[in-house]
């Protein structure tokens, strides 16, 4: 083992942070690039299901709030692209990987948002699950990723609250509104739980990522935390979790769920979800439509900017 | 990188009297776009009263391989710290 590898191992062992210019194993670099770019793409693609309701938000207040939330998601995507760039990949390369399908993003965003209650469910469940994951990642070993997570968690706490507020107004509204809230919960519950990834026994990247402290807690562990937090919130709303095997285990003090439909999960990961094609097509179209803006900006900069050493 | 696109490091001063702090970076094609992008990305919640953007390529840093030797001159100068000095008991305000 050379002195660089030794220094790296010591950083991990002592729970310090790895910084961009430190030596790191190539696989550590690649694993981080894969995870962080996937995280960034999720933020960016995640704007689409929410943007779907921007022009149909039921009040000016809800429209303002939704707009602010979508702006935050864009910001979070940019923080994360910046983090990945410190590892030696360019934003342009990452966008190309997203558009070619080589890079993945969270499967949850391949589901449509068909009613206003879905916007509530997305904030409550999808952001709720993301927060559980991201709070844990604040302790990740790669310094820039950890700092981005701290920032994102701080900003994201309002996202889940705005979602729950929508769920409250729907669940305590008319019978029809309550039905929409229940329907949204029915469709988003299991996909939200599957956001944490495969069970620990089936997780491909788990071992090494935990050893390198890229991941700090296992998928099942984080998922359980989310379930335990969320079940009482659903009960408050008077909504039913769509799982007839759900029960509270007095001994462990945890909620236990029935088995998930993993075939559905892998099917969506492989690109066959209801909106996979639409999400990527939209991203490509927007990127193309803006080409003239980038060209004009480059021409303007060439004319006006002084050469910087 | 796309033609004309550049990375700029962003520094924010939270309030007067405090030092500027590095917060991250933005992509932009020119100075004006850089400062606008920095505002939109890093000060959505009143995080600052002043912003600097600096082209990343303009920042000079110490090569990491040499950093031990580079910072070496400070290593053996404990007398630069106040704790180095012995002050007689009973003497105050030193």
């Amino acid at each position: 083992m050379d002195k660089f590898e030794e220094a790296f191992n010591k950083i991990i062992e002592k729970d310090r942070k790895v910084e961009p210019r430190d030596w790191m194993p190539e696989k550590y670099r690649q694993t981080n690039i894969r995870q962080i770019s996937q995280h960034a793409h999720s933020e960016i693609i995640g704007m689409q299901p929410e943007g779907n309701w921007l022009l149909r938000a039921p009040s000016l207040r809800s429209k303002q709030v939704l707009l602010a939330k979508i702006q935050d998601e864009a910001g979070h995507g940019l923080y994360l692209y910046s983090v990945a760039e410190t590892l030696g990949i360019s934003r342009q390369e990452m966008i190309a990987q997203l558009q070619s399908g080589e890079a993945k993003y969270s499967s949850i965003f391949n589901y449509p948002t068909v009613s206003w209650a879905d916007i509530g469910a997305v904030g409550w469940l999808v952001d709720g699950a993301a927060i559980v994951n991201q709070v844990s990642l604040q302790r990740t070993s790669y310094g820039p990723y950890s700092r981005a997570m701290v920032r994102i968690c701080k900003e994201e706490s309002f996202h889940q609250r705005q979602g729950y507020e929508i769920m409250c107004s729907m669940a305590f509204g008319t019978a029809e509104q309550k039905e929409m809230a229940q329907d949204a919960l029915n469709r988003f519950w299991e996909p939200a739980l599957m956001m944490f990834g495969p069970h620990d026994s089936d997780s491909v990247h788990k071992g090494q990522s935990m050893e390198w402290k890229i991941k700090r807690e296992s998928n099942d562990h984080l998922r359980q935390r989310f379930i335990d937090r969320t079940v009482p919130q659903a009960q408050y709303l008077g909504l039913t979790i769509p799982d007839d095997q759900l029960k509270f285990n007095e001994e462990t003090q945890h909620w236990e769920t029935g088995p998930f439909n993993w075939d559905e999960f892998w099917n969506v990961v492989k690109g066959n979800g209801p909106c996979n094609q639409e999400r990527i097509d939209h991203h490509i179209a927007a990127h193309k439509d803006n080409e003239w803006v980038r060209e004009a900006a480059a021409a303007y900069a060439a004319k006006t900017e002084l050469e910087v050493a | 990188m796309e033609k004309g696109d550049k990375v700029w490091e962003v520094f924010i001063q939270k309030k007067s009297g405090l030092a500027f702090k590095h917060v991250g970076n933005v992509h932009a094609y020119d100075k004006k776009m850089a400062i606008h992008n920095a505002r939109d990305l890093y000060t959505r919640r009143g995080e600052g009263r002043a912003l600097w953007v600096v082209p990343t390529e303009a920042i000079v840093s110490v090569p990491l391989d040499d950093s031990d030797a580079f910072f070496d001159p400070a290593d053996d100068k404990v007398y630069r710290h106040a704790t180095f000095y012995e002050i007689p008991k009973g003497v105050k305000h030193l």
Side-chain angles (χ1 to χ4, degrees), chain A residues 213-280:
Chain A
K213 298 183 180 172
I214 296 172
K215 262 183 92 79
R216 303 306 305 253
E217 292 169 281
S218 77
N219 294 353
D220 284 333
H221 195 85
L222 293 166
R223 182 166 22 238
Q224 188 63 52
R225 181 173 301 149
F226 174 69
I227 293 168
D228 290 341
R229 281 180 186 181
T230 309
V231 172
Q233 294 166 356
Q235 287 172 333
Y236 175 82
L237 294 170
L239 300 179
T240 310
I241 302 269
D243 178 352
D244 49 18
Q245 293 179 54
L246 184 79
K247 61 172 191 300
F248 190 68
N249 184 329
E250 286 291 345
E251 219 168 276
T252 61
Q253 293 288 303
H254 288 302
W255 286 92
E256 289 171 2
T257 58
F260 309 139
N261 182 356
W262 288 107
D263 291 343
E264 149 91 4
F265 175 78
W266 290 114
N267 192 40
V268 179
V269 169
K270 286 190 183 111
N272 305 318
C275 299
N276 295 57
Q277 196 59 47
E278 182 186 329
R279 299 291 183 239
I280 293 300

Side-chain angles (χ1 to χ4, degrees), chain A:
Chain A
M1 198 187 307
D2 61 20
K3 67 168 185 173
F4 294 114
E5 192 174 353
E6 216 169 292
F8 172 83
N9 289 341
K10 199 159 179 188
I11 291 174
I12 301 296
E13 185 198 327
K14 301 248 177 202
D15 242 334
R16 296 195 192 120
K17 301 296 179 203
V18 178
E19 292 296 337
R21 295 164 69 235
D22 290 339
W23 183 91
M24 60 189 87
E26 194 48 31
K27 194 155 171 256
Y28 178 86
R29 184 184 298 278
Q30 293 308 329
T31 305
N32 266 298
I33 288 178
R34 186 182 49 77
Q35 179 170 332
I36 296 163
S37 65
Q38 187 170 319
H39 198 159
H41 297 324
S42 302
E43 302 278 358
I44 298 298
I45 295 294
M47 293 194 284
Q48 291 187 35
E50 299 194 307
N52 183 34
W53 280 89
L54 204 48
L55 300 180
R56 292 178 287 163
S59 70
L60 185 58
R61 179 183 184 273
S62 56
K63 184 174 181 171
Q64 274 180 317
V65 168
L66 186 58
L67 186 58
K69 181 176 187 293
I70 295 171
Q71 284 175 324
D72 271 354
E73 308 298 4
H76 298 169
L78 294 181
Y79 297 156
L80 287 159
Y81 283 133
S82 283
V83 172
E85 280 185 307
T86 64
L87 291 159
I89 186 170
S90 73
R91 187 178 300 179
Q92 206 180 2
E93 283 172 89
M94 287 186 272
I95 301 292
Q97 288 176 353
L98 171 67
Q99 295 185 345
S100 73
E102 187 188 338
K104 301 283 177 214
Y105 54 88
S106 182
S107 274
I108 192 88
F109 301 117
N110 290 319
Y111 291 92
T113 43
V114 298
S115 82
W116 176 250
D118 286 9
I119 296 303
V122 166
W124 173 38
L125 301 174
V126 177
D127 286 273
I131 289 167
V132 168
N133 189 33
Q134 290 170 158
V135 164
S136 179
L137 283 172
Q138 290 182 121
R139 290 167 53 239
T140 191
S141 59
Y142 188 54
Y145 193 24
S146 156
R147 292 192 283 277
M149 286 300 107
V150 170
R151 204 181 171 89
I152 286 175
C153 286
K154 218 187 272 174
E155 298 186 352
E156 212 148 88
S157 55
F158 106 72
H159 296 187
Q160 195 188 11
R161 285 176 171 219
Q162 70 90 32
Y164 197 69
E165 192 185 82
I166 293 173
M167 292 308 285
C168 284
S169 58
M170 300 293 282
F172 300 121
T174 64
E176 203 184 343
Q177 285 173 321
K178 184 169 181 183
E179 204 178 301
M180 287 162 79
Q182 181 64 55
D183 176 55
L185 174 58
N186 290 350
R187 282 177 292 108
F188 278 96
W189 172 251
E190 200 167 290
L193 297 189
M194 294 198 282
M195 282 173 70
F196 293 97
H199 285 304
D200 295 347
S201 46
D202 309 321
S203 181
V204 195
H205 305 292
K206 190 195 89 193
Q208 184 70 81
S209 284
M210 294 284 273
E211 246 169 67
W212 276 334
K213 298 183 180 172
I214 296 172
K215 262 183 92 79
R216 303 306 305 253
E217 292 169 281
S218 77
N219 294 353
D220 284 333
H221 195 85
L222 293 166
R223 182 166 22 238
Q224 188 63 52
R225 181 173 301 149
F226 174 69
I227 293 168
D228 290 341
R229 281 180 186 181
T230 309
V231 172
Q233 294 166 356
Q235 287 172 333
Y236 175 82
L237 294 170
L239 300 179
T240 310
I241 302 269
D243 178 352
D244 49 18
Q245 293 179 54
L246 184 79
K247 61 172 191 300
F248 190 68
N249 184 329
E250 286 291 345
E251 219 168 276
T252 61
Q253 293 288 303
H254 288 302
W255 286 92
E256 289 171 2
T257 58
F260 309 139
N261 182 356
W262 288 107
D263 291 343
E264 149 91 4
F265 175 78
W266 290 114
N267 192 40
V268 179
V269 169
K270 286 190 183 111
N272 305 318
C275 299
N276 295 57
Q277 196 59 47
E278 182 186 329
R279 299 291 183 239
I280 293 300
D281 287 350
H282 185 77
H283 193 279
I284 293 172
H287 195 71
K288 238 179 168 171
D289 285 349
N290 290 332
E291 200 168 350
W292 70 271
V293 179
R294 292 192 295 278
E295 268 170 28
Y300 180 77
K303 249 190 188 172
T304 56
E305 290 287 288
L306 290 174
E307 215 34 62
V308 184

Side-chain angles (χ1 to χ4, degrees), chain B residues 45-71:
Chain B
R45 290 172 172 80
E47 287 91 338
R49 68 177 291 276
L51 265 179
W52 289 344
V53 290
V54 181
T56 303
E57 64 203 20
I59 291 181
V60 182
S61 59
V62 180
L64 217 56
D65 294 355
D66 303 346
S67 70
D68 283 357
F70 186 81
F71 295 110

